[in-house]
Amino acid sequence: MFDSLLIANRGEIARRVIATARRMGIRTIAVYSDIDANLPHVIEADEAIDLGAPEPAASYLNTEAILAAAKRTNAQAVHPGYGFLSEKADFATAVTEAGMVWVGPSPQAIDAMGDKINARNLMARHDVPVAPGASDPVIDADAALAAAEQIGYPVMVKAAAGGGGMGMAVAEDAAALTEQTTRISGFAERLFGSPDVLIERYFPSIRHIEVQILGLPDGTVLALGERECSVQRRHQKLVEETPSPALTPEQRADILAASRRAGEAVDYRGAGTVEYLYDAVTGRFYFLEMNTRLQVEHPITEAVLGIDLVEAQLRIAAGEMIEVPSEPSGHAIELRVNAEDPKRFLPGPGLITGWHAPSGDGVRVDAGYREGNEVPRHYDSLMAKVIVHAPTRTEAIRRAADAAAAFDITGPKSNLAFHTELLANPEFVSGSYDTGIVGRMR
């Protein structure tokens, strides 16, 4: 096991990794931008290095500055967290070439899953179900129209190199497809450096279910249960729960087996997530993407299995075999507490003048901020995650509602009122919701 770890991230996830590393006796090194100098992760680390200006390109996306910080502090390993550089194969390669341990899958696995078209074709070859769609990239409207004729409308237009719900649009007919292909292709080239788009069948009523996988040093791939992630705004998650209320035992067995095959297809190591679209009408699921990193919502899997996924990541990166419980217990829900208004979900950053987080039996709060901190406009709006665990789904919903009501944040806007509304919504409470639930609430 390495004795020092640099966390190439900020806020909640940096603090989360620091807590586990400290418990394991590993020296921790934080990095931060000028505007983040007073955040908890900076204070709690054994050492912290200022990366400079708050703009991501100058700080948390600045590979040279982060590698220089690692060299300066004699870091033996690097944990990328999620977002920023976590799924950049070039960064993973640079870390290993600098003689440090990369806490994550191989650059080859990251690269293989980073392009949606390549990932889709690879999964199909390994008997992982994929949605009807084009197997080749589409670079202009004419090619998109030809693909849609084969697939059938409506179709989803996706940036091939995209992720995190960015670069996606639905086209109901040829006119809309022409417009959206041009728009998404331009967006993708600006943001991801590639104009390629993927055309797939669009399912109007669908659920979003993902499976946590763990690749061990001997090549074994474990599937640690599923998470329901269908409560979304603008294709980005707001609430997750496990187990999914949608799956039968037989469907669960099928989706876990498919996820193991997905991991084996890229010789996966460490923690990753295989995401699917699930059609509750037919009971069929389709590969969406693989996230080659730790997910924001990993704590609910930890809650029902009684494990520490960050510790698992660190031990696997050090070449250690680990044992993981296979049978989950109870039900867990995560609420993402964002600095945004609870109706239109527009960002509302600002100075935190009051912060009172909930606590109690079965309640966990992973927060990146505290009173007196500034939530800046430069980064994702996530302030904290409320994770609850209870013996049943009904009890977990009640516990989550109590926690949301008890969480008091003043200064920036927050979406806590949305969570209170959702947890009382009959459709959510019934468990029969899909990805359109937020739109129906508005």
Side-chain angles (χ1 to χ4, degrees):
M1 175 60 66
F2 36 83
D3 63 21
S4 54
L5 176 71
L6 183 140
I7 300 93
N9 217 295
R10 66 181 295 278
E12 174 271 322
I13 188 57
R15 197 178 186 192
R16 164 76 186 86
V17 175
I18 287 168
T20 290
R22 172 170 289 176
R23 178 175 56 77
M24 295 174 66
I26 300 170
R27 180 171 64 92
T28 57
I29 302 121
V31 292
Y32 62 95
S33 68
D34 294 342
I35 203 168
D36 284 346
N38 295 317
L39 289 193
H41 81 276
V42 178
I43 297 167
E44 291 168 358
D46 295 301
E47 194 169 355
I49 302 295
D50 187 349
L51 296 176
E55 288 74 21
S59 53
Y60 301 106
L61 289 174
N62 188 335
T63 297
E64 291 184 5
I66 291 172
L67 291 175
K71 182 177 181 180
R72 175 179 164 187
T73 57
N74 296 312
Q76 292 184 347
V78 173
H79 192 302
Y82 53 71
F84 293 125
L85 295 169
S86 63
E87 294 181 280
K88 301 295 185 184
D90 289 348
F91 181 59
T93 299
V95 168
T96 57
E97 288 181 348
M100 293 175 286
V101 175
W102 168 252
V103 182
S106 68
Q108 292 78 17
I110 297 173
D111 200 42
M113 292 293 100
D115 183 287
K116 285 183 168 60
I117 296 173
N118 291 339
R120 168 195 163 84
N121 294 339
L122 179 62
M123 293 299 100
R125 292 197 298 271
H126 286 82
D127 198 27
V128 178
V130 299
S135 57
D136 296 312
V138 170
I139 57 173
D140 58 33
D142 288 341
L145 292 169
E149 284 297 318
Q150 298 294 320
I151 300 165
Y153 290 96
V155 295
M156 176 69 82
V157 185
K158 300 180 185 178
M166 296 184 289
M168 299 168 62
V170 177
E172 299 281 352
D173 53 34
L177 180 58
T178 299
E179 178 184 350
Q180 296 294 0
T181 299
T182 301
R183 185 180 71 83
I184 295 296
S185 180
F187 172 87
E189 185 163 31
R190 292 191 302 273
L191 196 64
F192 307 119
S194 168
D196 291 353
V197 299
L198 168 65
I199 306 294
E200 281 186 338
R201 172 78 53 80
Y202 172 70
F203 299 91
S205 178
I206 206 81
R207 298 179 77 129
H208 186 155
I209 296 176
E210 64 185 25
V211 173
Q212 176 71 58
I213 63 170
L214 205 59
L216 304 184
D218 68 352
T220 301
V221 176
L222 306 176
L224 304 184
E226 84 284 356
R227 297 183 288 251
E228 173 80 52
C229 305
S230 298
V231 180
Q232 304 178 2
R233 53 98 170 96
R234 296 190 292 275
H235 305 297
Q236 295 182 318
K237 304 163 191 171
L238 289 172
V239 175
E240 303 92 3
E241 62 177 310
T242 186
S244 168
L247 298 183
T248 66
E250 294 76 18
Q251 291 167 334
R252 180 169 291 111
D254 287 346
I255 203 169
L256 296 184
S259 300
R260 287 190 290 270
R261 293 194 297 272
E264 291 164 354
V266 291
D267 195 24
Y268 202 86
R269 298 291 185 276
T273 297
V274 188
E275 302 202 357
Y276 299 93
L277 298 177
Y278 171 78
D279 186 344
V281 175
T282 64
R284 300 184 66 180
F285 58 90
Y286 305 97
F287 173 81
L288 179 62
E289 63 182 358
M290 182 189 291
N291 289 317
T292 51
R293 53 169 170 80
L294 196 65
Q295 292 280 82
V296 177
E297 57 272 22
H298 76 273
I300 57 174
T301 297
E302 294 181 324
V304 297
L305 286 177
I307 62 172
D308 184 329
L309 284 171
V310 173
E311 179 177 349
Q313 285 186 294
L314 298 178
R315 294 198 180 282
I316 290 169
E320 297 182 11
M321 289 294 291
I322 61 172
E323 293 185 5
V324 178
S326 59
E327 292 299 321
S329 173
H331 199 93
I333 297 174
E334 176 181 283
L335 312 177
R336 300 194 189 194
V337 181
N338 298 331
E340 60 188 24
D341 78 77
K343 289 292 184 183
R344 300 177 62 197
F345 307 112
L346 297 176
L351 177 67
I352 299 173
T353 56
W355 180 279
H356 178 77
S359 60
D361 186 36
V363 177
R364 164 181 164 182
V365 177
D366 287 9
Y369 298 90
R370 61 177 59 155
E371 185 174 330
N373 291 151
E374 178 86 17
V375 180
R377 60 175 177 79
H378 306 83
Y379 315 118
D380 185 88
S381 63
L382 181 69
M383 293 187 288
K385 304 182 306 196
V386 176
I387 304 101
V388 300
H389 182 224
T392 67
R393 185 173 187 266
T394 298
E395 293 173 274
I397 291 174
R398 186 182 306 116
R399 186 165 284 173
D402 290 345
F407 208 153
D408 184 24
I409 302 173
T410 55
K413 294 178 181 178
S414 89
N415 63 344
L416 284 165
F418 164 79
H419 290 304
T420 296
E421 181 185 356
L422 174 81
L423 293 164
N425 179 276
E427 185 181 350
F428 178 80
V429 171
S430 74
S432 61
Y433 61 97
D434 61 21
T435 55
I437 185 172
V438 173
R440 290 189 290 273
M441 290 170 60
R442 291 291 169 263

